[in-house]
Amino acid sequence: FAERDLVGGRSADRGRKGPPVDPQPLFMRRTLDFWDEDSGYHFVAATPQGEPDLWVQFLDGARAAYRRFGAEGALEYESIRDGTSTSLFFAAVTTDGVVQGGSRAQGPYGSGRESHAFREWTDPGIRARIARILDAYVPHGLIEVKSTWVGSGAVRRHELSAGVARTLTYSMELLGTRYLVATSASTAVARWQEVGAEIVDEIPPCPYPDDRYRTHLIVWDVERCRSERRSRELEKLLASDAAPGFTYMSSLLPLRSLERGDLKESGGEM
């Protein structure tokens, strides 16, 4: 069959012969990492349960970031802090142990109504359309990325922002899904499009978390994200198999997030 994508009903197979094979999970709940030469940061993939200290530092930075823009409520800190809703998170860590950004993934979902996007739009008709669109992708694996941020004072911030954007899409391979959904302020959409996201045109933007924002529903299809760099960085991640506790940094300063940060260059939330 030719799977229909989430944007405009186009074929997601782009000329492939035969149906694509739904991915299988590569992440076995162990801590993984790789060094990003462009930004000069370690990107660590872990679970909150596997790396509780790193998770706390990630959340501290995210909360400071969202607070700077008066959007702390959108982070839903109290709801996510125990880590049970997070399947995987990425943290960007400096060589001296400072957490300067990252993202977290939820899912895989069993229903499109599990997506946070279902709550961000309040119109019942639009909600029904969101659920219909996302439900079609659940059988092939659907996750959601939230809480994406980059520190305001980060060194090589542009390169770091690009690294955070790339690595959040690696959650598809790691969690074994074909599709990734998120919501994004209009000012951030271009960054996500650079790493394969497409706007779901069928869904109009909404004023979330408040009237300052025009928030779009966006989606990635792993079949459209293939690249040599992606393969190389995923290979590095899977080869790292770091021990719990992120021990290769044990001789460095204790992990800590910056007390101040901000959202990715847009000032908006995923």
Side-chain angles (χ1 to χ4, degrees):
F1 66 96
E3 179 65 46
R4 307 292 283 180
D5 77 5
L6 298 182
V7 185
R10 296 188 298 275
S11 169
D13 295 337
R14 297 274 177 100
R16 288 169 56 104
K17 294 182 179 179
V21 177
D22 293 334
Q24 297 300 310
L26 301 177
F27 181 65
M28 300 304 174
R29 305 186 68 81
R30 66 186 189 271
T31 300
L32 307 174
D33 77 278
F34 78 94
W35 172 258
D36 176 30
E37 294 86 354
D38 286 357
S39 66
Y41 291 81
H42 288 281
F43 280 86
V44 183
T47 64
Q49 298 76 22
E51 297 291 347
D53 293 339
L54 192 65
W55 172 244
V56 169
Q57 310 315 319
F58 167 85
L59 286 180
D60 286 349
R63 183 163 59 174
Y66 280 61
R67 184 178 291 160
R68 279 176 59 85
F69 288 91
E72 185 175 352
L75 182 64
E76 299 181 347
Y77 179 86
E78 293 300 329
S79 297
I80 67 173
R81 64 182 300 183
D82 67 3
T84 57
S85 64
T86 298
S87 304
L88 168 72
F89 74 101
F90 274 96
V93 186
T94 67
T95 55
D96 63 353
V98 178
V99 178
Q100 284 277 24
S103 64
R104 67 181 188 90
Q106 302 181 163
Y109 289 151
S111 166
R113 288 168 175 79
E114 294 180 54
S115 169
H116 196 277
F118 190 73
R119 290 181 276 163
E120 296 176 24
W121 277 260
T122 57
D123 181 273
I126 295 176
R127 280 185 165 184
R129 285 153 61 188
I130 291 172
R132 173 180 54 80
I133 289 169
L134 299 185
D135 280 345
Y137 295 94
V138 166
H140 307 284
L142 175 68
I143 58 174
E144 183 169 23
V145 164
K146 301 293 292 179
S147 313
T148 302
W149 65 281
V150 170
S152 60
V155 175
R156 305 183 74 175
R157 190 171 187 274
H158 178 78
E159 292 82 1
L160 175 58
S161 295
V164 169
R166 286 196 317 277
T167 55
L168 70 83
T169 72
Y170 298 168
S171 298
M172 287 185 283
E173 282 93 342
L174 295 181
L175 295 175
T177 70
R178 182 172 172 186
Y179 296 105
L180 168 63
V181 66
T183 59
S184 172
S186 57
T187 48
V189 166
R191 168 66 75 189
W192 314 132
Q193 289 175 322
E194 290 174 359
V195 292
E198 294 193 32
I199 297 175
V200 183
D201 292 324
E202 183 179 343
I203 304 300
C206 71
Y208 179 85
D210 57 49
D211 290 340
R212 295 174 297 166
Y213 298 90
R214 288 174 53 83
T215 293
H216 295 267
L217 184 67
I218 59 175
V219 66
W220 287 261
D221 179 346
V222 74
E223 294 295 321
R224 295 179 179 165
C225 296
R226 308 296 188 190
S227 71
E228 182 178 342
R229 178 169 194 165
R230 184 186 191 86
S231 297
R232 184 170 64 250
E233 291 184 343
L234 279 165
E235 184 177 355
K236 289 180 181 180
L237 273 171
L238 296 173
S240 66
D241 197 9
F246 201 37
T247 55
Y248 80 88
M249 291 186 67
S250 60
S251 62
L252 301 177
L253 297 174
L255 289 169
R256 63 192 186 281
S257 61
L258 295 182
E259 293 182 358
R260 295 178 62 85
D262 66 10
L263 299 182
K264 289 175 67 62
E265 293 161 346
S266 66
E269 189 220 2
M270 285 280 305

